[in-house]
Amino acid sequence: MGGVLDKDGSPDASVPKTKIEAKIIEAVQKREVQGSSITAFNSIILKFPKIDESFRKCISTFEEFDEDGNGSIDPQELKNCFHKLEINFTDEEIDGLFEECDINDDMRITFNEFIVLLCLVNLLQKDPAAENCSQVGGQSLKATFETLVDAFVFLDKNQDGYVSKNEMVQAINETNAGERSSGMIAMRRFEEMDWDKNGMVNYKEFLFAFTRWVGFDENDDEADKEDDS
């Protein structure tokens, strides 16, 4: 992937690489103006069980839109999904979202990628009152969407649409003040989020890390096996 160069000639990690990423950053920054109700990282952790539960309520929806039953959603199936849910996105925006969430570049969206995609759609919907996306998992998923963006806003102290290492350390220290292990915890959490290793975490990266933190990925294979049996 080609990077944008900063003034000193080094790659600028905070410059969006795609149109859809730029829109996500813009939407996050608009949301950040409202501030966050979260005051400690531990309060995010306490919400993990409910978030995991709301994610799992989307399994039947994912299976419905996986029209050929191969365990993933292809670009056309995703467009059909948007049409059925009456989500008003252009084909270009849908294709952009598909590419953003297809982290393996295999032209298919798996279930955890679908969850991240729904979170991004909720953030990007032009009408803040729109229920199209949150109707997938009901009110619990709508609450989860808000919790996730609220958590990111809490971490992004300077409101630039990205979380840096220093911001992660600050967030953890606010919760674990005085504990020697707080710095190590912050670094580990940051490394789990920064999957492209550019030193900055955007909202999409945060969401993918979050699905792992709540224990979601760990059980996917087992759930698939149970569904197939």
Side-chain angles (χ1 to χ4, degrees), residues 34-210:
Q34 303 173 29
S36 173
S37 63
I38 294 173
T39 57
F41 192 79
N42 278 353
S43 65
I44 302 173
I45 296 174
L46 292 174
K47 298 177 185 290
F48 283 3
K50 283 190 175 181
I51 292 172
D52 179 58
E53 181 182 351
S54 68
F55 282 168
R56 293 184 185 282
K57 290 181 180 179
C58 301
I59 291 176
S60 60
T61 301
F62 177 80
E63 292 174 343
E64 176 186 350
F65 295 123
D66 174 20
E67 297 170 2
D68 57 9
N70 69 348
S72 63
I73 292 177
D74 63 34
Q76 186 56 52
E77 288 172 333
L78 184 62
K79 288 175 182 176
N80 295 343
C81 168
F82 273 55
H83 177 71
K84 290 178 182 178
L85 292 177
E86 298 181 350
I87 300 174
N88 187 26
F89 278 48
T90 67
D91 283 353
E92 181 183 5
E93 289 172 330
I94 297 173
D95 289 337
L97 278 168
F98 189 99
E99 292 176 8
E100 275 298 303
C101 296
D102 179 20
I103 57 174
N104 297 322
D105 293 325
D106 56 4
M107 293 303 293
R108 64 192 189 98
I109 296 292
T110 58
F111 182 66
N112 70 307
E113 292 171 337
F114 181 67
I115 289 295
V116 171
L117 188 143
L118 288 180
C119 293
L120 294 179
V121 168
N122 181 75
L123 176 70
L124 292 170
Q125 284 194 106
K126 298 175 178 61
D127 178 7
E131 299 289 337
N132 310 73
C133 187
S134 56
Q135 72 180 346
V136 172
Q139 290 301 311
S140 63
L141 187 61
K142 183 179 180 181
T144 292
F145 288 151
E146 179 54 31
T147 296
L148 291 171
V149 72
D150 208 27
F152 187 85
V153 171
F154 164 72
L155 295 175
D156 184 16
K157 303 299 184 182
N158 67 356
Q159 299 186 352
D160 65 349
Y162 295 88
V163 175
S164 68
K165 286 183 182 179
N166 289 339
E167 288 172 326
M168 192 67 192
V169 170
Q170 181 180 344
I172 296 293
N173 283 341
E174 288 172 356
T175 299
N176 303 299
E179 294 186 17
R180 292 183 179 180
S181 61
S182 61
M184 294 177 61
I185 294 171
M187 286 298 95
R188 186 171 70 249
R189 291 295 190 187
F190 185 83
E191 289 171 1
E192 290 167 355
M193 292 191 294
D194 186 21
W195 63 270
D196 62 3
K197 308 303 179 187
N198 69 353
M200 301 289 283
V201 172
N202 61 29
Y203 188 51
K204 180 191 72 174
E205 290 176 306
F206 169 76
L207 291 173
F208 274 112
F210 214 99

